[in-house]
Amino acid sequence: MRVVLIGATGMVGQGVLRACLEARDVTGIIVVGRRAPPGYVDPRLSVYVVSELSRFEATGAMFADIDACFFCVGVSSFGMPEPAYRAVTYDLTLHCAQQLLARSPGMKMVYVSGAGADSSEQGKTMWARVRGETENALQRLPFGGVAIFRPSAIVPEGGIQSRTAIYRWIYVVFRPLLVLLRRISPASILTTGLIGDAMLNVVRIGVTKPVLESADIYRLAVAHA
């Protein structure tokens, strides 16, 4: 399969990239972003550099016949006014999705949202409402399939770290507890690797519903182990 990965330098995106590189059935990985993810060398890996994702254009043969897009871009809403958060979360996502859809109409779209996203679009919590609007808009586009991932707690693996300082601190402090909770209830606490495996399985075996919570993501990740 040939995949496009957007957000490869973030914590989740790094895990997805590693899963793609470890998968024998992935024949091409196109990373779209402002810079190449450091430390990865593989003949299947191509980097399409854009100064701003809002200017991304999926032109040329590179973006034809793509099997899936794994969209892992996300920012914290803390301290952000709604217009700024919407520009990154809604506008940017839909722009990239529409660009890719024009070149590869049969592709599957896998979008990383978050637990608590508000698909009613009526809630008072700004980030949840905007995430819900984004989810709904993606599902209205005529992709070959759409999968919305709503992970809650995520344990980074293999030296992967969040780019957000407060999240790095939280993972250091609470990592022992998260590891313990994973042993007790593995389906409730995901890892970056499990999320990557689940995304690949969206393409391999499909999904029976578009919105996947943590337990759904876990079951999908281990379905093709």
Side-chain angles (χ1 to χ4, degrees), residues 109-121:
M109 182 72 178
V110 186
Y111 173 67
V112 179
S113 182
D118 178 16
S119 56
S120 76
E121 305 183 22

Side-chain angles (χ1 to χ4, degrees), residues 4-17 69-75 109-113 131 163 195 199:
V4 171
L5 173 56
I6 303 179
T9 59
M11 186 184 78
V12 172
Q14 290 179 64
V16 175
L17 177 56
C69 171
F70 301 147
F71 196 93
C72 305
V73 175
V75 295
M109 182 72 178
V110 186
Y111 173 67
V112 179
S113 182
R131 282 287 192 181
R163 291 187 297 171
I195 292 175
M199 287 194 177

Side-chain angles (χ1 to χ4, degrees), residues 10 24 36 39 45 63 82 84 94 103 106 122 133 153-154 158-160 166-167 171 173 187 189 199 209-210 215 221:
R24 295 182 179 181
L45 179 62
F63 295 102
E82 182 167 342
L94 268 292
R103 295 293 297 159
Q122 302 299 316
E133 290 180 39
I154 304 172
I160 292 174
I166 185 63
Y167 289 168
Y171 285 123
V173 173
I189 309 294
M199 287 194 177
K209 59 181 181 179

